[in-house]
Amino acid sequence: MFKNKEEFKTEFTKRIIEGYGRPLKEAHITEKFMVLEKLIRDQAAINWALTKEEVQDSQQKQMTYFSMEFLIGRLLVNNMMNLGVYDIVKEGLADLDINIHELEELESDPGLGNGGLGRLAACFMDSLASLSMPGHGNTLRYQYGLFKQKIVDGYQTEIPDQWMSIGNMWEIRKPKHAVDVRFWGKVIWDDSTGRFKHVDAECIRAVPYDMPIIGNETTVTNTLRLWDAEVSTNIPTNKDFRQYSQEVNEICQNLYPDDSTLAGRTLRLKQQYFFVSAGLQALIKSHLRTYKTLDNFHEKNVIQLNDTHPVLAIPELMRLLIDEHDYDWEDAWDIVSHTMAYTNHTILSEALEKWPIDTMRALLPRVYMMIEEINRRFIGYVKEHVSNPDEVFNHVLIIKDGQVHMAHLAIVGSFSVNGVARLHTDILIHQEMKAFAELYPTKFNNKTNGITHRRWLAYANPQLKELLHDTIGDHWIKEPDELEKLMAYVDDPDIQKRFMQVKRDRKRILARYIQKNNGILVNVDSIFDIQVKRLHAYKRQLLNVLHIIYLYQEMKRNPEFRIYPRTFIFGAKAAPAYFFAKKVIKLINSVADVVNSDPETSDYLKVVFLENYGVTLAEMIMPAADVSEQISTAGKEASGTGNMKFMMNGALTLGTLDGANVEIHERVGDDYCEIFGLTAKEVDSLRQSGQYNAWDYYNNNIKLKFVVDSLVDGSWSASREEFRIIFEELMNYNDEYFLLADFDSYIKAQQDVEKRYLDKSAWAKMCLINIAKSGFFSSDRTIKQYADEIWHIQPVKK
Ligand code: 26V
């Protein structure tokens, strides 16, 4: 493989000729791109093979992260940087008259996830490899990722995401490791063998595609395994082939974009079982190759269940051990319950997965039997351990009211249950999962989320990286806590100025993008106030809009009322069936149309909706923010990770005491972040008391009344009906997320933000302190905690 620029050039040129039968100068740009990607993959392949060998030889314990989502983002530059060959390649290409940035832009951003949960899985993969830990991913190979968002007349429309249209050079198909997964059919007792038998099942072939996960400055290369569905050679004889092949194709076609309703339920359940069963079968085969027994499976393997989506792994591993490897229940349970660990990512009850018994039993008859038995034995356990079992059953039963409660199954079958930020874990332990926490006091623990500072700082913000290089050196790339060294510079006027220049450069890059994509000219010296995340009522993008409307109305009413110029920037995808969320997108765009074209206010106020928010866009947005909007109703956002990305790039957090905001606040203090609104406890008692009345707020605050009325008086749309449902949600459905209760306090906080911005030196200092204190939010810290406290895995010995 290449070790220097000249070798790279020779290899690259050779591969173009070999691959496409023409000289470099006649090669198409996509051909150059594909050759480069494959060349980098091959460069990593040596270490990849070595890592597998080392782990096997040392008989180390390994972790596999079972997740339906991995939002990995583009990989080319990141991988080249982690391999330490970026500069060689860049210069080599330049010699060949190729601009590396043009090739970079050709890479698609695989949207194999919905939002924070999927991006977290990807950040974890980067940290695991970079810490030289043996940790892999197991997931589905979706043909189409999350939809691409197009805004048409202010409305969201969805287009399929064809992320593999020019192929995925990173993956390697491994047909040798294919396994069968079985659905439907029935379970019979087989007298001849003295065991249950699953007959008349529909077999689907699961074929793995492996992608290397390349760590930073390490030879350790882990594997992200994506399972694809193909027809099996064990085709059911009684089945119409066309129907069968369609069912096969369906499994990996789409990522469920809808975290608001579980539509197409059976298909989603099929997806879950498919990648879980295939992943477990592969782990078992590989384990048996090395150890010849499964008795020590849990000593050599740990599986982290990313939310409830992969929780069928618990009954499935029971089934595999009992039916296919001859274990009795107790021994199998001992292995399973010491292998599985579960992460909870939300307490919103509507998001907790439940499956109708009938669906589950028909699709997975033998797995359902396992669940029934787990439930039966668990009932016995509860009776033994509490004095009031009937009361406790209400909160903990796995099978209840005709449904299987996946979170309950997860907790019973795992040795560890963790939340994703301290407040969230506290709510789990003391409220949502209280009964379980009392039954299993040692299972529950917290692992506050993190983000990979390599992608979100070093890669996304080279300008800031350079400033850090010139002040504190580069060691923070390996040891993110070393960002704290920046504290020595926060009062230095030169560094403050330099930081503001970096920020301005990054704002200019975003402004250029906005000009090009939205046709809106924004003032680079205005405050860039940004809210980017999935669109959800509890995240309260609407509160942000209400504030913008308030500012606009005040300026229109009173020529004396003027604000420091602000650019409000939004990015958000709404689930395609989530009507309310889509209306909020339309509202943002309608308010933008009015405000941006009003000459009286447009010097002060601009509103921008960036379409198709995702990882690639986030890489441009995070570095350009002055203000990070984290304004969810307290108690609702489990953690948030965008908040950490903004902080690390030197933005002020404007937020409620929710999720990880609490821990950001704890690290920087009131002086360096802006907290407002009700606390989780206050929200809770307000809800419990039944005293909350949206109309009281409306009637007692004339300014708020004007704002809310504007939703239905034609201010933002010729049709007064356009935004009626938003009005109804606030007023007649009594404002479930307490926007009106937090309105005043939000406005005051926003005024405070403006005041802070007027003092440029104080502002710069504040941003620098945020960067300095952001090391804690590196996923390296999170992964070390998982590794030490849950997984008990060690770095790969080299
Ligand atoms: C699903 C649903 C479905 C029903 C309607 C409401 C709702 C709200 C959220 C979800 C997603 C649940 C899982 C999830 O994505 N959680 C996110 O996980 C991130 C990583 O831990 C965390 O930072 C976010 O706060 C959390 O929302």
Side-chain angles (χ1 to χ4, degrees):
M1 282 285 99
F2 66 89
K3 286 181 207 67
N4 54 46
K5 190 173 80 172
E6 294 310 319
E7 284 181 22
F8 166 75
K9 281 156 60 181
T10 313
E11 182 66 23
F12 183 77
T13 315
K14 190 178 116 212
R15 285 183 178 222
I16 292 268
I17 297 168
E18 282 172 1
Y20 297 98
R22 49 180 152 191
L24 181 62
K25 62 177 190 313
E26 280 168 31
H28 192 265
I29 184 161
T30 53
E31 293 167 351
K32 295 173 193 165
F33 163 73
M34 290 194 284
V35 163
L36 178 62
E37 229 176 41
K38 184 143 183 311
L39 181 54
I40 299 301
R41 188 198 74 191
D42 292 348
Q43 181 90 359
I46 305 159
N47 288 338
W48 200 5
L50 284 177
T51 306
K52 282 176 198 157
E53 223 173 86
E54 280 157 5
V55 173
Q56 213 156 48
D57 290 351
S58 62
Q59 307 209 336
Q60 263 184 274
K61 188 175 186 184
Q62 307 192 61
M63 188 282 296
T64 309
Y65 202 76
F66 275 38
S67 175
M68 281 192 102
E69 305 188 8
F70 282 87
L71 256 183
I72 48 186
R74 287 176 172 167
L75 296 172
L76 179 60
V77 175
N78 219 262
N79 281 346
M80 289 192 286
M81 283 180 166
N82 279 356
L83 283 168
V85 300
Y86 183 69
D87 290 330
I88 295 178
V89 171
K90 186 173 160 191
E91 288 160 23
L93 288 173
D95 284 1
L96 301 172
D97 234 9
I98 301 167
N99 178 351
I100 195 170
H101 302 303
E102 282 175 25
L103 299 191
E104 280 170 42
E105 288 305 311
L106 288 181
E107 187 174 9
S108 61
D109 172 348
L112 311 183
N114 271 291
L117 170 144
R119 183 55 231 174
L120 184 75
C123 283
F124 281 4
M125 287 295 113
D126 181 74
S127 285
L128 278 158
S130 297
L131 293 168
S132 302
M133 301 267 191
H136 312 283
N138 187 62
T139 188
L140 293 130
R141 184 171 179 269
Y142 302 104
Q143 192 179 351
Y144 304 108
L146 182 63
F147 65 86
K148 285 214 157 105
Q149 180 190 54
K150 258 212 127 27
I151 301 298
V152 180
D153 295 333
Y155 297 99
Q156 166 176 301
T157 58
E158 300 95 26
I159 353 191
D161 165 37
Q162 303 213 36
W163 69 284
M164 290 193 285
S165 59
I166 59 168
N168 172 17
M169 293 298 141
W170 299 114
E171 68 187 13
I172 301 181
R173 182 183 149 92
K174 297 274 173 74
K176 192 177 92 187
H177 297 297
V179 296
D180 272 343
V181 177
R182 295 183 310 157
F183 298 97
W184 311 110
K186 56 179 189 278
V187 178
I188 54 165
W189 177 256
D190 185 347
D191 253 340
S192 67
T193 56
R195 57 173 79 206
F196 285 102
K197 201 170 157 193
H198 184 183
V199 296
D200 300 338
E202 179 175 304
C203 266
I204 295 187
R205 196 96 181 125
V207 181
Y209 288 71
D210 287 355
M211 283 167 74
I213 303 291
I214 299 167
N216 177 261
E217 278 186 44
T218 167
T219 55
V220 170
T221 306
N222 291 327
T223 301
L224 174 60
R225 176 160 278 189
L226 303 100
W227 292 97
D228 199 6
E230 296 187 9
V231 293
S232 165
T233 42
N234 301 317
I235 306 172
T237 42
N238 58 348
K239 192 100 191 176
D240 173 65
F241 182 76
R242 283 217 324 255
Q243 195 198 333
Y244 169 71
S245 67
Q246 191 191 326
E247 280 178 34
V248 171
N249 290 337
E250 262 175 6
I251 292 192
C252 291
Q253 220 155 53
N254 288 297
L255 164 88
Y256 273 88
D258 204 339
D259 49 18
S260 67
T261 57
L262 285 175
R265 296 180 84 93
T266 311
L267 188 50
R268 184 167 160 100
L269 189 61
K270 256 182 155 172
Q271 289 186 329
Q272 296 186 345
Y273 181 67
F274 178 74
F275 92 103
V276 152
S277 174
L280 286 171
Q281 292 184 55
L283 281 179
I284 286 179
K285 277 193 186 168
S286 149
H287 184 90
L288 283 174
R289 267 198 301 275
T290 310
Y291 302 100
K292 318 286 178 229
T293 169
L294 294 175
D295 291 356
N296 63 346
F297 186 80
H298 56 293
E299 289 162 17
K300 301 297 176 183
N301 287 286
V302 51
I303 293 173
Q304 191 68 38
L305 304 170
N306 197 23
D307 216 289
T308 50
H309 321 145
V311 163
L312 286 173
I314 291 167
E316 172 64 1
L317 185 54
M318 287 302 287
R319 185 191 71 80
L320 288 165
L321 290 172
I322 292 171
D323 288 359
E324 299 188 6
H325 298 277
D326 267 341
Y327 279 82
D328 63 26
W329 185 276
E330 283 76 17
D331 291 341
W333 185 248
D334 193 55
I335 293 172
V336 171
S337 60
H338 285 92
T339 301
M340 304 294 173
Y342 157 64
T343 306
N344 175 287
H345 293 270
T346 184
I347 53 154
L348 295 180
S349 54
E350 61 273 39
L352 292 178
E353 276 188 303
K354 298 174 202 84
W355 292 104
I357 289 177
D358 295 342
T359 309
M360 184 89 92
R361 189 166 37 202
L363 186 69
L364 308 167
R366 185 62 179 144
V367 171
Y368 182 71
M369 287 172 73
M370 296 292 153
I371 297 174
E372 265 185 331
E373 182 61 12
I374 294 171
N375 189 50
R376 195 185 68 79
R377 290 177 184 244
F378 173 61
I379 288 172
Y381 178 91
V382 174
K383 283 184 180 155
E384 253 174 53
H385 286 81
V386 304
S387 51
N388 54 343
D390 288 334
E391 219 171 284
V392 173
F393 285 152
N394 255 332
H395 306 284
V396 300
L397 285 186
I398 296 170
I399 301 174
K400 202 181 113 194
D401 303 333
Q403 293 188 306
V404 182
H405 292 242
M406 299 306 275
H408 297 181
L409 178 58
I411 298 171
V412 173
S414 301
F415 67 88
S416 162
V417 177
N418 76 282
V420 290
R422 200 176 57 223
L423 174 68
H424 168 61
T425 302
D426 286 346
I427 294 174
L428 282 181
I429 294 178
H430 300 293
Q431 295 168 36
E432 298 312 304
M433 302 294 175
K434 189 161 180 276
F436 276 115
E438 285 166 1
L439 276 173
Y440 305 119
T442 57
K443 274 193 194 185
F444 285 77
N445 64 91
N446 178 55
K447 297 288 168 280
T448 297
N449 282 166
I451 57 168
T452 165
H453 60 287
R454 282 169 293 273
R455 181 177 284 263
W456 295 108
L457 205 177
Y459 163 69
N461 197 344
Q463 295 81 354
L464 181 55
K465 180 186 173 198
E466 195 179 312
L467 185 154
L468 291 170
H469 171 84
D470 295 345
T471 48
I472 63 172
D474 289 332
H475 199 51
W476 58 272
I477 297 177
K478 271 273 140 205
E479 295 286 341
D481 278 341
E482 289 213 356
L483 286 169
E484 184 91 28
K485 287 191 172 159
L486 197 59
M487 287 305 287
Y489 297 86
V490 300
D491 287 306
D492 182 334
D494 289 339
I495 299 302
Q496 292 178 355
K497 266 207 206 88
R498 222 182 122 186
F499 171 76
M500 293 305 271
Q501 191 54 47
V502 165
K503 188 57 86 179
R504 200 166 187 282
D505 289 349
R506 296 302 318 211
K507 287 164 75 172
R508 200 181 302 123
I509 294 171
L510 183 59
R512 227 180 288 137
Y513 181 88
I514 292 171
Q515 163 93 67
K516 190 164 152 253
N517 284 273
N518 297 58
I520 301 171
L521 198 66
V522 301
N523 172 4
V524 181
D525 294 309
S526 66
I527 301 173
F528 277 26
D529 179 315
I530 309 189
Q531 186 172 20
V532 284
K533 47 183 85 249
R534 279 300 282 263
L535 214 140
H536 237 296
Y538 82 84
K539 294 178 189 281
R540 301 201 295 192
Q541 281 93 348
L542 181 58
L543 179 59
N544 192 339
V545 182
L546 296 183
H547 170 243
I548 296 170
I549 295 177
Y550 156 82
L551 291 177
Y552 179 69
Q553 291 183 337
E554 283 294 285
M555 282 197 277
K556 292 298 278 183
R557 206 169 18 238
N558 176 3
E560 305 283 287
F561 181 94
R562 284 299 173 262
I563 56 167
Y564 192 94
R566 259 259 202 159
T567 303
F568 290 96
I569 298 169
F570 294 85
K573 286 181 180 174
Y578 192 170
F579 190 67
F580 173 81
K582 287 185 142 178
K583 274 292 180 197
V584 174
I585 291 178
K586 172 64 178 167
L587 178 63
I588 296 168
N589 284 308
S590 298
V591 170
D593 286 345
V594 173
V595 166
N596 295 344
S597 59
D598 187 331
E600 264 187 276
T601 59
S602 70
D603 284 348
Y604 304 94
L605 197 55
K606 284 273 158 66
V607 181
V608 176
F609 187 94
L610 289 172
E611 74 184 359
N612 202 36
Y613 177 64
V615 176
T616 300
L617 202 49
E619 286 159 4
M620 177 161 31
I621 292 173
M622 297 299 168
D626 295 308
V627 179
S628 153
E629 297 264 0
Q630 307 300 335
I631 59 178
S632 52
T633 311
K636 297 288 173 201
E637 189 70 271
S639 162
T641 43
N643 46 3
M644 303 169 187
K645 293 163 199 165
F646 280 116
M647 177 196 193
M648 203 171 263
N649 282 281
L652 167 67
T653 303
L654 165 57
T656 48
L657 281 177
D658 200 13
N661 301 350
V662 174
E663 289 159 81
I664 290 177
H665 176 239
E666 185 175 286
R667 267 162 192 86
V668 297
D670 280 330
D671 287 348
Y672 305 109
C673 77
E674 187 72 45
I675 297 295
F676 74 96
L678 298 171
T679 61
K681 277 209 180 89
E682 287 165 346
V683 167
D684 227 42
S685 34
L686 200 53
R687 184 170 286 132
Q688 303 260 320
S689 72
Q691 297 293 298
Y692 184 70
N693 184 354
W695 287 104
D696 290 344
Y697 287 86
Y698 173 94
N699 288 320
N700 291 323
N701 182 343
I702 185 79
K703 286 176 181 167
L704 174 60
K705 181 177 181 309
F706 279 137
V707 170
V708 173
D709 285 346
S710 81
L711 297 170
V712 287
D713 70 2
S715 294
W716 315 113
S717 163
S719 155
R720 293 171 176 226
E721 294 313 301
E722 179 78 79
F723 302 116
R724 172 79 56 191
I725 94 146
I726 298 180
F727 179 91
E728 294 292 323
E729 200 61 43
L730 287 175
M731 304 313 308
N732 295 333
Y733 292 96
N734 205 27
D735 184 20
E736 189 181 350
Y737 295 103
F738 300 98
L739 281 75
L740 305 192
D742 278 347
F743 180 76
D744 261 345
S745 133
Y746 183 53
I747 285 180
K748 284 206 194 70
Q750 283 285 21
Q751 288 163 351
D752 224 49
V753 168
E754 176 174 314
K755 235 182 274 150
R756 288 173 191 255
Y757 199 76
L758 297 176
D759 182 346
K760 286 291 145 63
S761 161
W763 184 272
K765 175 178 176 175
M766 177 188 73
C767 298
L768 289 165
I769 289 178
N770 270 276
I771 298 165
K773 300 285 181 188
S774 69
F776 176 80
F777 297 104
S778 165
S779 44
D780 286 8
R781 186 267 313 152
T782 314
I783 285 298
K784 282 184 190 156
Q785 292 180 331
Y786 274 93
D788 291 347
E789 298 163 22
I790 302 178
W791 302 332
H792 303 293
I793 56 170
Q794 307 289 329
V796 178
K797 294 171 204 80
K798 282 169 285 180

